[in-house]
Structure formats: structure tokens, C-alpha cells
Amino acid sequence: KDLTFNTDHSLLQGDILFNLHPETGWQDFTNKVSWDMNVKLGSELSGYDLSYFVTQWDNYKPFKLSGKMEGPLNNFTLNHFLLGNQNVHIQTDKMSFTNLLKGNFNIETQKLNADFTYINLKAMMPTFISEKMKNFADDFGRLKYNGTASVTPEKVYIQKADLVTGIGQAQIQNFSLTDYSTDTPKYQGRAQLQNFNTSVITKSNAVGLISGDFTLKGQSFDVNKMIIETNSNIHRIEIMGKPYQNATLIGTLNHRKYNGLVNINDPNLQGSVNGLIDFSTPRLSADVKADFKRLNLGYLTGSKQSQIITGSVDGKIAMTNLNDLMVDANLSNVNIYANNEKIEIPNGHIKSHVA
């Protein structure tokens, strides 16, 4: 009662009771000695002292903690618990830990609040945990998380959560992450994205901020290996620096190449595009069939005058911007409206190149 535990590395204040097993006493400490501990605000525990009890704990950096812990080290529950340091803040009303030190651990909570960067979170963990975390969220900047969490060595599952990151916001539902300690993690679920900067992930400026409802199934967070199947409704998307609204995606992103259908209903672009779009180099290229109800070239070029195109285009295009646009395509029922004139192309072929 009213314990003060002060070492060269740690300061714990509060109440602690060890309930010993009637037959083994202090033996098999991690499995049979049950903790009943209430730690006060201001307490700090060093990994150096923790390693006496958890021999695999090889990170000696101190961290602040407060709250209540009940149960042995291999099967305990945290209540109203705060954990972290100057860079990491984690809070939960209740979180259970099972088999934490046996390798087949299970961590569960219905309410987790966290504020950290993924790099700082890994730096706080011992090797046997951090080596399984890899680097999939290193580029996400500061993460603020509020939701459920279930973690095992094989799977992370999120039933529902709100996430604010340095590259955008997301509401997550029924999201699962498997094989996360391998070079090819797999994931699937639903997310509502708000102003999410896709260029940080794709390493391409062809597509920028994006907002919408996404259903995803994929593997790898390395953009050069990433494969994602999607059926999504996009509220807003930036393409080549221009914002567009109301689009749907049904297709697969495979190694920075999208193959599938895009439907869009924007005041400056209405129609559908089906085929392969390659984001793998700074020069965007595509081999597609496009049916345009309305394409305003004036919007793309920044001209104050509308230059409207309708009709079908089937072929290849490539460009880093409109100044070096190359086209090799068949035209069908194309109409061009500009300067109060109309040009009709029932059938034709266009081929251009940069001199």
C-alpha cells in the first residue's frame, strides 16, 4: 500500500499486491504470480528494470505509465491505463493481454486512443515486438487513432476506428492485416478517406489528394510490390494537378499499374475509361478505351475558353504533362466544340509525337 519503488532507472508509485500460487509460490513468475497493481500518475518504468522480469525485453528506454493491472505477466488486463513517453501516447479503458511472452500473444481492446509516429512507436518497443512491425506506416507522419484493436502474431483486426495521419484522415471498418511481420503483408477492409495524399504511397505526382469510400483487398505496402483490388466510390480526386469529382474504380493496382474501369461524372470530365494506366515512371502512360460524354480540354490546359470533346478514343497515350503529350489512337464519333465551331470526326486515327 502507498508503495514507492525507486531505482537508478525507475520510479513507481501506487499500490501493488502479488498473489502467489499456493503450490509454487514465486516460481513460474510470469504464469502463476498474479499482479494486482495500481500505478499513480507520474510513475516511470525503465526497460532495464523490466528486463529482470521479462528477459526478452532488450529496450532499456524509460516510459511513463499509470493505471491498474490485474493478472500474471502472461495473462493480464489493464484498466484506465496510460502508457508512453514524450513522443508516444497510448490510453485505453480496458485492454487484455494473453500469452504475451510465449510468442502466440493476443491483445484485445474495444477502445484505444493513441497519438504517435510509427517510427517512434517502434523505437519504444523491445526487439521481439519491433522486428514484427516492419516499416509499412513510417511515411504516415503523426498518427492519431481512436477505435478497437485485436492483435495476434498472425493478424491485426480493426472492427471500427477513426484515424488522423500526416497524409490524410480515414474511418476504418472491418480491416484485417495478416502476415504483417513478413515482406508481403496482406490486408482487406473498408475505409472512408478524406484528403488522403496518395502520392506519399505511390511515389508519383500523377494522382494527389483523394476522398471517398473504398473497399480494398491487397498485399504489400512497398509501392513497387503493391497489389490492390478495389471497388470504390471517389468523391474527389486530383489527377495531374486538377481536381475531379464523382468517380468509381473497379480494378486492380499492380506494381504501380492500374488495370480496370474508371467511371467519372465531373462538370469537366464525364465518361468512362477502361484499360491499363501506368504510374510506374514519371511519364504517365495508358493503353485504354475511353468513351467521353464531355471532356473539357480548356480545363486541363488552363484556358479560359471551353474546348469540349465527345466521342470514343481507343489507343495509347503518354505524357509527363500536356506539353509532351503523345497519342496513338483510333477515334470514333468524335465531336470537338471550340470557338463557336463544331468539328465532326465519324472515324479516324490520330498519332502525335514530341519533336
Side-chain angles (χ1 to χ4, degrees):
K1 199 75 173 174
D2 296 324
L3 170 71
T4 297
F5 179 77
N6 193 3
T7 73
D8 291 339
H9 311 282
S10 302
L11 173 62
L12 295 177
Q13 295 176 302
D15 309 319
I16 185 169
L17 173 67
F18 291 107
N19 295 301
L20 307 184
H21 192 277
E23 296 180 1
T24 58
W26 291 97
Q27 297 178 24
D28 197 6
F29 184 86
T30 59
N31 294 304
K32 294 185 178 179
V33 176
S34 181
W35 295 54
D36 187 349
M37 181 172 66
N38 185 24
V39 182
K40 295 181 179 179
L41 282 170
S43 295
E44 186 174 85
L45 178 62
S46 167
Y48 180 85
D49 292 325
L50 183 59
S51 67
Y52 284 105
F53 302 99
V54 185
T55 56
Q56 303 103 307
W57 200 281
D58 57 359
N59 189 335
Y60 293 165
K61 295 177 183 177
F63 51 88
K64 299 183 183 299
L65 72 162
S66 64
K68 190 166 185 177
M69 170 185 170
E70 296 176 318
L73 289 177
N74 238 347
N75 186 10
F76 64 91
T77 301
L78 301 179
N79 293 287
H80 305 294
F81 209 80
L82 294 173
L83 178 70
N85 54 34
Q86 62 182 358
N87 297 313
V88 176
H89 176 83
I90 300 172
Q91 187 272 333
T92 181
D93 289 343
K94 183 177 181 180
M95 180 179 287
S96 61
F97 296 76
T98 305
N99 296 326
L100 183 63
L101 307 178
K102 292 184 177 180
N104 58 333
F105 61 85
N106 184 26
I107 304 172
E108 295 254 3
T109 180
Q110 291 301 307
K111 187 175 183 181
L112 176 67
N113 291 292
D115 184 349
F116 56 86
T117 69
Y118 199 66
I119 292 174
N120 287 332
L121 181 64
K122 289 188 293 183
M124 180 179 165
M125 296 296 169
T127 301
F128 76 93
I129 294 178
S130 64
E131 66 183 5
K132 296 180 181 296
M133 296 172 67
K134 298 296 182 181
N135 61 353
F136 73 91
D138 285 2
D139 293 335
F140 284 20
R142 191 131 204 107
L143 300 167
K144 295 183 179 181
Y145 178 93
N146 182 10
T148 68
S150 174
V151 183
T152 70
E154 294 81 26
K155 183 178 181 179
V156 176
Y157 177 72
I158 298 170
Q159 182 181 22
K160 186 177 182 181
D162 293 325
L163 180 66
V164 179
T165 78
I167 62 172
Q169 304 176 32
Q171 291 183 323
I172 303 169
Q173 292 183 340
N174 298 323
F175 178 84
S176 64
L177 173 65
T178 58
D179 297 334
Y180 61 86
S181 60
T182 71
D183 292 331
T184 310
K186 299 177 179 61
Y187 44 89
Q188 62 180 354
R190 295 180 60 193
Q192 293 181 337
L193 302 183
Q194 182 68 32
N195 292 328
F196 202 83
N197 190 353
T198 60
S199 65
V200 174
I201 299 174
T202 62
K203 312 302 180 186
S204 169
N205 292 323
V207 180
L209 297 180
I210 190 169
S211 301
D213 300 325
F214 294 82
T215 300
L216 305 172
K217 181 179 181 181
Q219 64 180 47
S220 182
F221 294 101
D222 181 343
V223 66
N224 296 310
K225 302 177 181 177
M226 186 182 295
I227 301 174
I228 300 177
E229 299 175 16
T230 184
N231 186 338
S232 304
N233 294 312
I234 297 175
H235 308 318
R236 185 180 186 276
I237 185 172
E238 292 179 353
I239 303 174
M240 304 294 289
K242 299 291 185 180
Y244 297 93
Q245 302 176 8
N246 305 320
T248 60
L249 297 179
I250 304 174
T252 301
L253 179 67
N254 189 338
H255 296 76
R256 298 172 69 179
K257 298 177 182 179
Y258 176 80
N259 193 358
L261 176 65
V262 181
N263 289 313
I264 189 164
N265 186 18
D266 180 88
N268 291 295
L269 177 56
Q270 298 173 15
S272 64
V273 179
N274 196 357
L276 180 67
I277 305 173
D278 188 350
F279 302 98
S280 63
T281 68
R283 185 170 177 78
L284 177 70
S285 63
D287 186 353
V288 296
K289 181 177 182 180
D291 294 306
F292 296 116
K293 294 180 180 178
R294 177 184 175 90
L295 171 60
N296 185 0
L297 282 181
Y299 178 70
L300 289 175
T301 61
S303 172
K304 294 182 179 180
Q305 294 183 340
S306 294
Q307 302 170 27
I308 307 300
I309 295 178
T310 65
S312 298
V313 180
D314 187 354
K316 300 178 180 180
I317 65 170
M319 63 179 174
T320 52
N321 54 59
L322 288 176
N323 294 324
D324 65 358
L325 174 65
M326 295 178 62
V327 182
D328 186 359
N330 294 316
L331 308 179
S332 176
N333 298 318
V334 170
N335 297 303
I336 303 174
Y337 303 87
N339 299 319
N340 296 319
E341 295 183 359
K342 177 182 178 181
I343 301 174
E344 298 182 8
I345 307 176
N347 291 285
H349 184 85
I350 182 172
K351 186 172 185 178
S352 67
H353 63 88
V354 179

